[in-house]
Amino acid sequence: MKIIYICLVQLIFISAYMSLYGQENTVKGLISDENNAPLAFVNVSIAGTIDGTSSEEDGMFELETSAFGTVILKATLLGYEDYSKEINIPQQDKLIIVLKPNAKVLSEVVVSASSFQLKGGSPDNLKSAVELVTVAGSDGDLYKAMSVLPGVQAAGTDGKLLVRGGESRESQTYIDDMHVLNPYSSTPENTAARGRYSPFLFDGISFQLGGYSSEYSQGLSSILPLSTKDESRVSKLGASILNVGAGAGGTKSWAQSSASFNVDYTNLGPYENFLYSRGRGEWIKPYSTLSAQNQLRFNIGENSVLKTYFAYDKTRFERVTKNNFSTNERNLNFNEDNTYLNTTFRTKSKSGFNFFSGAALSVNDKRIMGGLVAEDRVGMKESELHLKTKISKRFSDTYKLGVGAESMIRAYNFSYADTATFSSDIDHSINGLYVMNDFILASDLFLNISSRLEYTSINKSWNVLPRISLSYAYNDYTILATYGKYQQLADRDYLLYNNELKTEICQHFLFGVHHQSKNKVYRAELYHKTYDNLVTGSNYNYKASGKGFSNGVDLFFSDTQFLKNWQYTLAYSYNNSKRSFLKYTEKVTPEYVTQHNASITLKYNLFKYKTIWAVTNRFASGRPYHNPNKAGIMNSETSPYNSLDFCVTYLAHKKVIVYASASNVLNRSNVFGYNYSSQKNSSGKFDRVAIQSDRNQFFVIGLFITLGGKTAYDPSTF
């Protein structure tokens, strides 16, 4: 830990020294509403930088920045339309900014409980990419940043999203409304996975924890829709240097189009050699990834956008490892190639129809040697072609109609070779039609009635999946109620042995009360979920006879201005889940469920010194596990989970960003369960091994440098 603190202190002092040579400019102004009443706590910032401030009680603001020349000034406040204006720095005259109220129109209303607009899409809960990655402990990862939200449980050793009592595969990711088959990177055992895509890629990030739109499929618990930028007007080039790798990227902008690229290389070899790791083996080839991303955008006419997004990454590692309670070591060699490509086209006709069509291809190819025993060979290749089209139109001030159709064509091949060879294939498709009806019943009363008809070829079944949601707004309060029915195919590894497994079903019942005023957000939500057709059985003999439920309450509090330049978020979740699944013939609490989860995040925006400090503390009650020494099922529980995380983001120069993050600074050894031996030892007990992360702590230090262009480089440049 001393090394971490020394590195952080040295980095901050070096950056502070660099900033002494940057020229500071001041932008002053007055912000008011249309009635000339001053507006306080308005967020004012320079686009492409972390330079910002907020207005005082009298509406006055004073922003210090090292930017120079032509920049974009932005001003945002809940309940008002976003304001942006091109200004020249140094600014001689005092700016006069007038914010207009945000009128609610049908095309902007999202009638959905349990939805967090993390970035874009709505003025409510609006956040920038910088705000997301400055969540302490996120290490710049989108999925880790979302773990502080209510309803999201403390992740286990794999680091994937666990939402409201559901396992990680119940959460699905979409990019530009197109499905992503493999959103997480592959990692060694007991090492947290990362999202493959940077939050800087996206204009819109809307995390929907339940009761989500009928447009989306194959997620029993939650949906994460991500939207890439429709245009990029700034050309720039940059590079990043981190203690775990390096990267480079840039954007070239033209009048009606733009092209962006990004390349990153990660190698944990130096990191592993420098710091202690608790891994049960030695590295032969350290964990490394090489990733490349590219996006092309074309504005065709006034209301049409064509976009193509491509991402590829290769992951490799080899280490000496062994199974639990075994002295036989083997070399585990892992190779993975993952490719994602989507193309989307959006247009709006003069008659008011909105058209969308898209195609996405996901291919994931894993090759493993020494997966179970020495020298065995495992192959897993999975692909999906997603085709989709939809159309919508607002026919009146009170009614909007949307319809769509899609098909997911999937293929999966699994092979295993040792003394014998086994191979199996699954080829199937999922086809869906949906209709969405949005109504304004009164000025503050909104209704959505939707239905989805879905057919799965693998078990030749049709299902009707209805959804209804009601929202009522009164002053600063919104009351929401939602019912929805959702389905998802059983996991591919079970379908290999029984391709007639019924589709898993989950029904959501949600009720929530939200309060928003100025910079404060208070939310409380109750939910109840019922599960049917869960997979049961073991030893390659599976059927869909499991049932279950999950219910609880989520609380969320946020104040972005409770003290000047300070903000906090506080989240608490209670979850009660039981299900019969796999070897458990009776309903039990799954081993990945934590009943109590809480997090508190504090941020301090030191605008004068261009620094954002953040601290996050996460807490979770223990996880259930089965102890063979005792009678019963899952009658034991691990110790509680706790992690204190810290990060700092510093604009050392108008073209240099410094980022440092340290997770679990108290070095707590969190336990996520136990593996027990199959036989008793000489004392008549079962030996056990704790399930823990491969490393207690992780830290990242990086420099993000602009090589060309006028604005500061962000880690993706997209």
PDB file of all heavy atoms in Angstrom, residues 73-99:
ATOM      1  N   LEU A  73     -19.145  26.396 -24.511  1.00  0.00           N
ATOM      2  CA  LEU A  73     -19.555  26.557 -23.124  1.00  0.00           C
ATOM      3  C   LEU A  73     -20.914  25.890 -22.934  1.00  0.00           C
ATOM      4  O   LEU A  73     -21.833  26.105 -23.722  1.00  0.00           O
ATOM      5  CB  LEU A  73     -19.640  28.037 -22.759  1.00  0.00           C
ATOM      6  CG  LEU A  73     -20.031  28.334 -21.308  1.00  0.00           C
ATOM      7  CD1 LEU A  73     -18.844  28.107 -20.383  1.00  0.00           C
ATOM      8  CD2 LEU A  73     -20.558  29.758 -21.163  1.00  0.00           C
ATOM      9  N   LYS A  74     -21.035  25.069 -21.877  1.00  0.00           N
ATOM     10  CA  LYS A  74     -22.285  24.369 -21.606  1.00  0.00           C
ATOM     11  C   LYS A  74     -22.821  24.756 -20.239  1.00  0.00           C
ATOM     12  O   LYS A  74     -22.050  24.998 -19.306  1.00  0.00           O
ATOM     13  CB  LYS A  74     -22.080  22.852 -21.670  1.00  0.00           C
ATOM     14  CG  LYS A  74     -21.780  22.328 -23.073  1.00  0.00           C
ATOM     15  CD  LYS A  74     -21.750  20.803 -23.085  1.00  0.00           C
ATOM     16  CE  LYS A  74     -21.593  20.285 -24.500  1.00  0.00           C
ATOM     17  NZ  LYS A  74     -21.626  18.796 -24.543  1.00  0.00           N
ATOM     18  N   ALA A  75     -24.159  24.785 -20.118  1.00  0.00           N
ATOM     19  CA  ALA A  75     -24.830  25.047 -18.847  1.00  0.00           C
ATOM     20  C   ALA A  75     -26.012  24.098 -18.726  1.00  0.00           C
ATOM     21  O   ALA A  75     -26.822  23.997 -19.651  1.00  0.00           O
ATOM     22  CB  ALA A  75     -25.294  26.501 -18.762  1.00  0.00           C
ATOM     23  N   THR A  76     -26.113  23.379 -17.611  1.00  0.00           N
ATOM     24  CA  THR A  76     -27.184  22.400 -17.418  1.00  0.00           C
ATOM     25  C   THR A  76     -27.779  22.544 -16.028  1.00  0.00           C
ATOM     26  O   THR A  76     -27.079  22.812 -15.056  1.00  0.00           O
ATOM     27  CB  THR A  76     -26.676  20.962 -17.603  1.00  0.00           C
ATOM     28  OG1 THR A  76     -25.638  20.698 -16.648  1.00  0.00           O
ATOM     29  CG2 THR A  76     -26.122  20.745 -19.003  1.00  0.00           C
ATOM     30  N   LEU A  77     -29.096  22.343 -15.966  1.00  0.00           N
ATOM     31  CA  LEU A  77     -29.828  22.367 -14.703  1.00  0.00           C
ATOM     32  C   LEU A  77     -31.077  21.518 -14.872  1.00  0.00           C
ATOM     33  O   LEU A  77     -31.763  21.613 -15.902  1.00  0.00           O
ATOM     34  CB  LEU A  77     -30.212  23.800 -14.307  1.00  0.00           C
ATOM     35  CG  LEU A  77     -30.983  23.956 -12.984  1.00  0.00           C
ATOM     36  CD1 LEU A  77     -30.101  23.550 -11.801  1.00  0.00           C
ATOM     37  CD2 LEU A  77     -31.473  25.399 -12.805  1.00  0.00           C
ATOM     38  N   LEU A  78     -31.357  20.675 -13.875  1.00  0.00           N
ATOM     39  CA  LEU A  78     -32.529  19.816 -13.951  1.00  0.00           C
ATOM     40  C   LEU A  78     -33.785  20.656 -14.154  1.00  0.00           C
ATOM     41  O   LEU A  78     -34.007  21.662 -13.483  1.00  0.00           O
ATOM     42  CB  LEU A  78     -32.668  18.990 -12.663  1.00  0.00           C
ATOM     43  CG  LEU A  78     -31.609  17.907 -12.430  1.00  0.00           C
ATOM     44  CD1 LEU A  78     -31.826  17.240 -11.088  1.00  0.00           C
ATOM     45  CD2 LEU A  78     -31.639  16.896 -13.551  1.00  0.00           C
ATOM     46  N   GLY A  79     -34.630  20.234 -15.082  1.00  0.00           N
ATOM     47  CA  GLY A  79     -35.874  20.933 -15.368  1.00  0.00           C
ATOM     48  C   GLY A  79     -35.749  21.981 -16.452  1.00  0.00           C
ATOM     49  O   GLY A  79     -36.749  22.591 -16.830  1.00  0.00           O
ATOM     50  N   TYR A  80     -34.514  22.199 -16.967  1.00  0.00           N
ATOM     51  CA  TYR A  80     -34.297  23.197 -18.007  1.00  0.00           C
ATOM     52  C   TYR A  80     -33.579  22.556 -19.182  1.00  0.00           C
ATOM     53  O   TYR A  80     -32.851  21.565 -19.028  1.00  0.00           O
ATOM     54  CB  TYR A  80     -33.474  24.374 -17.466  1.00  0.00           C
ATOM     55  CG  TYR A  80     -34.203  25.209 -16.451  1.00  0.00           C
ATOM     56  CD1 TYR A  80     -34.209  24.844 -15.111  1.00  0.00           C
ATOM     57  CD2 TYR A  80     -34.907  26.350 -16.832  1.00  0.00           C
ATOM     58  CE1 TYR A  80     -34.885  25.593 -14.164  1.00  0.00           C
ATOM     59  CE2 TYR A  80     -35.583  27.112 -15.896  1.00  0.00           C
ATOM     60  CZ  TYR A  80     -35.580  26.735 -14.571  1.00  0.00           C
ATOM     61  OH  TYR A  80     -36.256  27.477 -13.648  1.00  0.00           O
ATOM     62  N   GLU A  81     -33.776  23.131 -20.361  1.00  0.00           N
ATOM     63  CA  GLU A  81     -33.101  22.628 -21.543  1.00  0.00           C
ATOM     64  C   GLU A  81     -31.601  22.910 -21.457  1.00  0.00           C
ATOM     65  O   GLU A  81     -31.176  23.942 -20.936  1.00  0.00           O
ATOM     66  CB  GLU A  81     -33.678  23.285 -22.805  1.00  0.00           C
ATOM     67  CG  GLU A  81     -35.129  22.908 -23.089  1.00  0.00           C
ATOM     68  CD  GLU A  81     -35.643  23.555 -24.362  1.00  0.00           C
ATOM     69  OE1 GLU A  81     -34.868  24.301 -24.997  1.00  0.00           O
ATOM     70  OE2 GLU A  81     -36.807  23.322 -24.720  1.00  0.00           O
ATOM     71  N   ASP A  82     -30.800  21.967 -21.955  1.00  0.00           N
ATOM     72  CA  ASP A  82     -29.347  22.153 -21.969  1.00  0.00           C
ATOM     73  C   ASP A  82     -28.977  23.353 -22.849  1.00  0.00           C
ATOM     74  O   ASP A  82     -29.568  23.570 -23.905  1.00  0.00           O
ATOM     75  CB  ASP A  82     -28.650  20.905 -22.494  1.00  0.00           C
ATOM     76  CG  ASP A  82     -28.789  19.729 -21.549  1.00  0.00           C
ATOM     77  OD1 ASP A  82     -29.265  19.941 -20.418  1.00  0.00           O
ATOM     78  OD2 ASP A  82     -28.432  18.610 -21.940  1.00  0.00           O
ATOM     79  N   TYR A  83     -28.002  24.120 -22.380  1.00  0.00           N
ATOM     80  CA  TYR A  83     -27.555  25.322 -23.081  1.00  0.00           C
ATOM     81  C   TYR A  83     -26.114  25.119 -23.538  1.00  0.00           C
ATOM     82  O   TYR A  83     -25.268  24.634 -22.780  1.00  0.00           O
ATOM     83  CB  TYR A  83     -27.641  26.532 -22.150  1.00  0.00           C
ATOM     84  CG  TYR A  83     -27.066  27.816 -22.710  1.00  0.00           C
ATOM     85  CD1 TYR A  83     -27.873  28.721 -23.386  1.00  0.00           C
ATOM     86  CD2 TYR A  83     -25.712  28.129 -22.551  1.00  0.00           C
ATOM     87  CE1 TYR A  83     -27.348  29.911 -23.891  1.00  0.00           C
ATOM     88  CE2 TYR A  83     -25.179  29.306 -23.054  1.00  0.00           C
ATOM     89  CZ  TYR A  83     -26.006  30.193 -23.725  1.00  0.00           C
ATOM     90  OH  TYR A  83     -25.487  31.359 -24.229  1.00  0.00           O
ATOM     91  N   SER A  84     -25.814  25.454 -24.771  1.00  0.00           N
ATOM     92  CA  SER A  84     -24.438  25.416 -25.256  1.00  0.00           C
ATOM     93  C   SER A  84     -24.221  26.584 -26.212  1.00  0.00           C
ATOM     94  O   SER A  84     -25.122  26.954 -26.973  1.00  0.00           O
ATOM     95  CB  SER A  84     -24.123  24.088 -25.951  1.00  0.00           C
ATOM     96  OG  SER A  84     -24.931  23.915 -27.091  1.00  0.00           O
ATOM     97  N   LYS A  85     -23.026  27.152 -26.174  1.00  0.00           N
ATOM     98  CA  LYS A  85     -22.712  28.301 -27.014  1.00  0.00           C
ATOM     99  C   LYS A  85     -21.218  28.316 -27.295  1.00  0.00           C
ATOM    100  O   LYS A  85     -20.398  28.021 -26.424  1.00  0.00           O
ATOM    101  CB  LYS A  85     -23.114  29.605 -26.318  1.00  0.00           C
ATOM    102  CG  LYS A  85     -22.843  30.862 -27.145  1.00  0.00           C
ATOM    103  CD  LYS A  85     -23.247  32.122 -26.393  1.00  0.00           C
ATOM    104  CE  LYS A  85     -22.990  33.371 -27.229  1.00  0.00           C
ATOM    105  NZ  LYS A  85     -23.371  34.606 -26.504  1.00  0.00           N
ATOM    106  N   GLU A  86     -20.869  28.653 -28.520  1.00  0.00           N
ATOM    107  CA  GLU A  86     -19.465  28.777 -28.912  1.00  0.00           C
ATOM    108  C   GLU A  86     -18.960  30.152 -28.493  1.00  0.00           C
ATOM    109  O   GLU A  86     -19.540  31.181 -28.854  1.00  0.00           O
ATOM    110  CB  GLU A  86     -19.324  28.574 -30.420  1.00  0.00           C
ATOM    111  CG  GLU A  86     -17.893  28.457 -30.901  1.00  0.00           C
ATOM    112  CD  GLU A  86     -17.807  28.139 -32.376  1.00  0.00           C
ATOM    113  OE1 GLU A  86     -17.840  26.944 -32.732  1.00  0.00           O
ATOM    114  OE2 GLU A  86     -17.724  29.099 -33.176  1.00  0.00           O
ATOM    115  N   ILE A  87     -17.895  30.178 -27.711  1.00  0.00           N
ATOM    116  CA  ILE A  87     -17.332  31.443 -27.246  1.00  0.00           C
ATOM    117  C   ILE A  87     -15.830  31.458 -27.530  1.00  0.00           C
ATOM    118  O   ILE A  87     -15.219  30.422 -27.796  1.00  0.00           O
ATOM    119  CB  ILE A  87     -17.575  31.666 -25.739  1.00  0.00           C
ATOM    120  CG1 ILE A  87     -16.829  30.599 -24.921  1.00  0.00           C
ATOM    121  CG2 ILE A  87     -19.061  31.651 -25.421  1.00  0.00           C
ATOM    122  CD1 ILE A  87     -16.854  30.853 -23.423  1.00  0.00           C
ATOM    123  N   ASN A  88     -15.251  32.638 -27.450  1.00  0.00           N
ATOM    124  CA  ASN A  88     -13.810  32.802 -27.629  1.00  0.00           C
ATOM    125  C   ASN A  88     -13.165  33.147 -26.299  1.00  0.00           C
ATOM    126  O   ASN A  88     -13.669  34.000 -25.548  1.00  0.00           O
ATOM    127  CB  ASN A  88     -13.511  33.904 -28.654  1.00  0.00           C
ATOM    128  CG  ASN A  88     -13.906  33.497 -30.062  1.00  0.00           C
ATOM    129  OD1 ASN A  88     -13.593  32.397 -30.505  1.00  0.00           O
ATOM    130  ND2 ASN A  88     -14.599  34.383 -30.763  1.00  0.00           N
ATOM    131  N   ILE A  89     -12.067  32.484 -25.994  1.00  0.00           N
ATOM    132  CA  ILE A  89     -11.329  32.736 -24.760  1.00  0.00           C
ATOM    133  C   ILE A  89      -9.962  33.296 -25.133  1.00  0.00           C
ATOM    134  O   ILE A  89      -9.284  32.730 -26.008  1.00  0.00           O
ATOM    135  CB  ILE A  89     -11.180  31.442 -23.941  1.00  0.00           C
ATOM    136  CG1 ILE A  89     -12.571  30.969 -23.465  1.00  0.00           C
ATOM    137  CG2 ILE A  89     -10.281  31.646 -22.738  1.00  0.00           C
ATOM    138  CD1 ILE A  89     -12.533  29.683 -22.676  1.00  0.00           C
ATOM    139  N   PRO A  90      -9.511  34.417 -24.539  1.00  0.00           N
ATOM    140  CA  PRO A  90     -10.120  35.083 -23.387  1.00  0.00           C
ATOM    141  C   PRO A  90     -11.416  35.827 -23.719  1.00  0.00           C
ATOM    142  O   PRO A  90     -11.540  36.411 -24.797  1.00  0.00           O
ATOM    143  CB  PRO A  90      -9.034  36.053 -22.921  1.00  0.00           C
ATOM    144  CG  PRO A  90      -8.206  36.292 -24.142  1.00  0.00           C
ATOM    145  CD  PRO A  90      -8.220  35.018 -24.913  1.00  0.00           C
ATOM    146  N   GLN A  91     -12.353  35.795 -22.741  1.00  0.00           N
ATOM    147  CA  GLN A  91     -13.672  36.406 -22.906  1.00  0.00           C
ATOM    148  C   GLN A  91     -13.647  37.794 -22.270  1.00  0.00           C
ATOM    149  O   GLN A  91     -13.348  37.944 -21.078  1.00  0.00           O
ATOM    150  CB  GLN A  91     -14.735  35.527 -22.231  1.00  0.00           C
ATOM    151  CG  GLN A  91     -16.152  36.038 -22.359  1.00  0.00           C
ATOM    152  CD  GLN A  91     -16.720  35.825 -23.747  1.00  0.00           C
ATOM    153  OE1 GLN A  91     -16.262  34.956 -24.463  1.00  0.00           O
ATOM    154  NE2 GLN A  91     -17.706  36.612 -24.115  1.00  0.00           N
ATOM    155  N   GLN A  92     -13.991  38.796 -23.044  1.00  0.00           N
ATOM    156  CA  GLN A  92     -13.923  40.164 -22.544  1.00  0.00           C
ATOM    157  C   GLN A  92     -15.200  40.592 -21.835  1.00  0.00           C
ATOM    158  O   GLN A  92     -15.168  41.236 -20.797  1.00  0.00           O
ATOM    159  CB  GLN A  92     -13.623  41.121 -23.706  1.00  0.00           C
ATOM    160  CG  GLN A  92     -12.323  40.811 -24.436  1.00  0.00           C
ATOM    161  CD  GLN A  92     -11.117  40.957 -23.542  1.00  0.00           C
ATOM    162  OE1 GLN A  92     -11.092  41.799 -22.645  1.00  0.00           O
ATOM    163  NE2 GLN A  92     -10.105  40.120 -23.784  1.00  0.00           N
ATOM    164  N   ASP A  93     -16.358  40.217 -22.394  1.00  0.00           N
ATOM    165  CA  ASP A  93     -17.634  40.670 -21.848  1.00  0.00           C
ATOM    166  C   ASP A  93     -18.250  39.612 -20.937  1.00  0.00           C
ATOM    167  O   ASP A  93     -18.012  38.409 -21.094  1.00  0.00           O
ATOM    168  CB  ASP A  93     -18.612  40.987 -22.981  1.00  0.00           C
ATOM    169  CG  ASP A  93     -18.070  42.061 -23.915  1.00  0.00           C
ATOM    170  OD1 ASP A  93     -17.387  42.977 -23.408  1.00  0.00           O
ATOM    171  OD2 ASP A  93     -18.314  41.953 -25.139  1.00  0.00           O
ATOM    172  N   LYS A  94     -19.070  40.078 -20.008  1.00  0.00           N
ATOM    173  CA  LYS A  94     -19.798  39.156 -19.140  1.00  0.00           C
ATOM    174  C   LYS A  94     -20.909  38.480 -19.937  1.00  0.00           C
ATOM    175  O   LYS A  94     -21.672  39.132 -20.645  1.00  0.00           O
ATOM    176  CB  LYS A  94     -20.387  39.910 -17.949  1.00  0.00           C
ATOM    177  CG  LYS A  94     -21.097  38.994 -16.959  1.00  0.00           C
ATOM    178  CD  LYS A  94     -21.549  39.749 -15.723  1.00  0.00           C
ATOM    179  CE  LYS A  94     -22.725  40.657 -16.056  1.00  0.00           C
ATOM    180  NZ  LYS A  94     -23.272  41.311 -14.843  1.00  0.00           N
ATOM    181  N   LEU A  95     -21.008  37.166 -19.833  1.00  0.00           N
ATOM    182  CA  LEU A  95     -22.012  36.404 -20.580  1.00  0.00           C
ATOM    183  C   LEU A  95     -23.369  36.485 -19.896  1.00  0.00           C
ATOM    184  O   LEU A  95     -23.456  36.463 -18.664  1.00  0.00           O
ATOM    185  CB  LEU A  95     -21.594  34.930 -20.693  1.00  0.00           C
ATOM    186  CG  LEU A  95     -20.353  34.625 -21.540  1.00  0.00           C
ATOM    187  CD1 LEU A  95     -19.987  33.154 -21.408  1.00  0.00           C
ATOM    188  CD2 LEU A  95     -20.624  34.969 -23.001  1.00  0.00           C
ATOM    189  N   ILE A  96     -24.399  36.570 -20.686  1.00  0.00           N
ATOM    190  CA  ILE A  96     -25.775  36.513 -20.193  1.00  0.00           C
ATOM    191  C   ILE A  96     -26.404  35.230 -20.737  1.00  0.00           C
ATOM    192  O   ILE A  96     -26.553  35.074 -21.954  1.00  0.00           O
ATOM    193  CB  ILE A  96     -26.603  37.734 -20.615  1.00  0.00           C
ATOM    194  CG1 ILE A  96     -25.925  39.022 -20.151  1.00  0.00           C
ATOM    195  CG2 ILE A  96     -28.017  37.622 -20.065  1.00  0.00           C
ATOM    196  CD1 ILE A  96     -25.805  39.140 -18.637  1.00  0.00           C
ATOM    197  N   ILE A  97     -26.738  34.302 -19.852  1.00  0.00           N
ATOM    198  CA  ILE A  97     -27.290  33.001 -20.253  1.00  0.00           C
ATOM    199  C   ILE A  97     -28.714  32.897 -19.733  1.00  0.00           C
ATOM    200  O   ILE A  97     -28.965  33.093 -18.536  1.00  0.00           O
ATOM    201  CB  ILE A  97     -26.434  31.847 -19.707  1.00  0.00           C
ATOM    202  CG1 ILE A  97     -25.018  31.925 -20.285  1.00  0.00           C
ATOM    203  CG2 ILE A  97     -27.074  30.493 -20.022  1.00  0.00           C
ATOM    204  CD1 ILE A  97     -24.075  30.888 -19.710  1.00  0.00           C
ATOM    205  N   VAL A  98     -29.635  32.578 -20.625  1.00  0.00           N
ATOM    206  CA  VAL A  98     -31.044  32.400 -20.266  1.00  0.00           C
ATOM    207  C   VAL A  98     -31.429  30.948 -20.536  1.00  0.00           C
ATOM    208  O   VAL A  98     -31.322  30.470 -21.672  1.00  0.00           O
ATOM    209  CB  VAL A  98     -31.958  33.346 -21.070  1.00  0.00           C
ATOM    210  CG1 VAL A  98     -33.414  33.106 -20.699  1.00  0.00           C
ATOM    211  CG2 VAL A  98     -31.569  34.801 -20.819  1.00  0.00           C
ATOM    212  N   LEU A  99     -31.855  30.235 -19.487  1.00  0.00           N
ATOM    213  CA  LEU A  99     -32.265  28.837 -19.630  1.00  0.00           C
ATOM    214  C   LEU A  99     -33.773  28.744 -19.801  1.00  0.00           C
ATOM    215  O   LEU A  99     -34.532  29.432 -19.111  1.00  0.00           O
ATOM    216  CB  LEU A  99     -31.831  28.017 -18.409  1.00  0.00           C
ATOM    217  CG  LEU A  99     -30.328  27.918 -18.144  1.00  0.00           C
ATOM    218  CD1 LEU A  99     -30.069  26.945 -16.999  1.00  0.00           C
ATOM    219  CD2 LEU A  99     -29.575  27.492 -19.392  1.00  0.00           C
TER     220      LEU A  99
END
